[in-house]
Structure formats: structure tokens, C-alpha cells
Amino acid sequence: MSQKLRKQIQSGVGTPFQKRVWLELLAIPKGTVWTYAELAKKIGSPKAFRAVGTALGANPYAPDVPCHRVICSDMRVGEYAFGRKQKIALLNSEGVVVSSGRVEK
DNA sequence: GTTTTGACACCCG
DNA sequence: TCGGGTGCCAAAA
């Protein structure tokens, strides 16, 4: 399960804040998309959505970490290290409806 | 220690 | 309804 992945993240190099973001990322259920604001709030800083986005960009464990399940608050897909098209494809593969870079909630 | 960048969010026109 | 500008936090140079 993700236990080994969690151990890898904690054992890996990176700031505690980023690790926290990646751990919370693993808590996202399949077929569900979270917003940067919600994720930031869960880690303890509802206004740190900026730092969250930066943390995901530095995520060396992608796509093992479901960073592609994180979208903007305005239902926008946002960006993805592997490409927005790839992100949309993964979202659709998990049951999330995405149209023209917009996520159907 | 200070400044700039970045996978965003919110407000105003 | 759509577009532009400002504010937020953390990490790296």
C-alpha cells in the first residue's frame, strides 16, 4: 500500500512542509479532485495554497503521488508537470469529467 | 538577511 | 459574464 510510499517520502529529502502536502495528497480518494485551497487548509495553512502548488511542482515522487487530482478552486485544471493534457486524461480515467480545461464538479 | 519565483485565490471594474 | 490586478505562503538564489 501507500505505507511504503509514505516511508519513502519521509525518508526522502525535502522540507517538512512539502512532505506534509504529499502525505495529504495520498489521502485523496480515487475519482475525487481537491482544490489547492482545501489541501492548504488541511495542512494547517488555508492561505498557503501558493506554497502547496510550489510543493507539488517539486514532487519527485510523481505520479506515484496523485498530484494530478489537485485542481484550482475555480474548477480550472491548473498546471501539471507532465502536461495539462496528461492531467485531464488521468482525471477522466478516474471518473472526473473535464471539459475544455474545466473540471465538472 | 533580502529579493524573486511559482502547478493559486480573491476582489474590483 | 469576462478580464485584469493584488495578496498569500514557502523555498531557492
Side-chain angles (χ1 to χ4, degrees), chain A residues 5-37:
Chain A
L5 183 57
R6 272 172 53 178
K7 185 77 195 274
Q8 190 67 242
I9 294 173
Q10 294 178 30
S11 216
V13 186
T15 64
F17 183 82
Q18 296 234 208
K19 290 176 182 178
R20 199 157 321 196
V21 174
W22 301 333
L23 266 326
E24 287 298 323
L25 227 42
L26 298 175
I28 303 180
K30 176 170 168 286
T32 304
V33 289
W34 286 12
T35 61
Y36 292 94

Side-chain angles (χ1 to χ4, degrees), chain A residues 5 22 25-28 56 59 63-70 94:
Chain A
L5 183 57
W22 301 333
L25 227 42
L26 298 175
I28 303 180
L56 291 177
N59 169 23
D64 289 315
V65 178
C67 49
H68 56 268
R69 289 182 189 156
V70 185
E94 298 196 351

Side-chain angles (χ1 to χ4, degrees), chain A residues 2-3 17-18 22 28 41-42 54 61 75 100:
Chain A
S2 309
Q3 288 289 354
F17 183 82
Q18 296 234 208
W22 301 333
I28 303 180
K41 181 181 287 188
K42 286 176 187 300
T54 307
Y61 300 101
M75 298 182 195
S100 300

Side-chain angles (χ1 to χ4, degrees), chain A residues 34-104:
Chain A
W34 286 12
T35 61
Y36 292 94
E38 290 294 308
L39 188 58
K41 181 181 287 188
K42 286 176 187 300
I43 63 177
S45 299
K47 281 177 300 202
F49 41 78
R50 269 290 188 174
V52 172
T54 307
L56 291 177
N59 169 23
Y61 300 101
D64 289 315
V65 178
C67 49
H68 56 268
R69 289 182 189 156
V70 185
I71 59 170
C72 300
S73 307
D74 297 350
M75 298 182 195
R76 286 188 266 187
V77 263
E79 285 291 315
Y80 188 52
F82 288 80
R84 296 170 291 281
K85 181 175 165 57
Q86 186 70 29
K87 183 172 183 176
I88 294 171
L90 273 123
L91 260 39
N92 277 284
S93 184
E94 298 196 351
V96 181
V97 182
V98 183
S99 55
S100 300
R102 215 71 61 160
V103 181
E104 284 291 329

